[in-house]
């Protein structure tokens, strides 16, 4: 599974953090959640993975298996 890439974040003075993925808005965090995100991304060895996790935009490896399951075929 390749590591996530293309994420960026901008911290604003109004205690807001905007996360983008390939220059498209992914999520916006406010208040305590923004502070928690900033603390986690600053301490992380791989900030891309942290941003992917916070936005929910990452592969889990089971997408193909789930798509081919009989109950998901229509």
């Amino acid at each position: 599974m390749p590591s996530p890439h293309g994420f960026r974040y901008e911290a604003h003075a109004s205690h807001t953090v905007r996360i983008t993925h390939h220059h498209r808005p992914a999520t916006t965090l406010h208040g305590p959640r923004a502070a928690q995100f900033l603390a986690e991304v600053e301490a992380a060895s791989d900030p891309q993975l942290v941003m992917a996790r916070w936005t929910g935009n990452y592969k889990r490896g089971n997408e193909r298996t789930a798509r081919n399951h009989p109950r998901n075929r229509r």
Side-chain angles (χ1 to χ4, degrees):
M1 177 168 56
S3 64
H5 66 282
F7 288 97
R8 295 182 54 150
Y9 72 93
E10 301 170 353
H12 299 278
S14 60
H15 304 289
T16 302
V17 175
R18 177 168 293 160
I19 302 174
T20 59
H21 185 240
H22 294 294
H23 305 289
R24 292 185 178 184
T27 191
T28 303
L29 305 171
H30 304 280
R33 288 181 46 104
Q36 182 182 2
F37 167 79
L38 289 173
E40 189 173 333
V41 80
E42 295 294 328
S45 61
D46 187 6
Q48 291 290 307
L49 186 59
V50 173
M51 288 183 269
R53 199 167 36 80
W54 274 78
T55 60
N57 190 2
Y58 61 100
K59 300 287 184 186
R60 294 167 188 84
N62 63 354
E63 288 83 5
R64 183 174 295 137
T65 305
R67 182 177 58 223
N68 293 333
H69 193 275
R71 77 168 170 252
N72 294 331
R73 290 185 183 173
R74 293 183 188 184

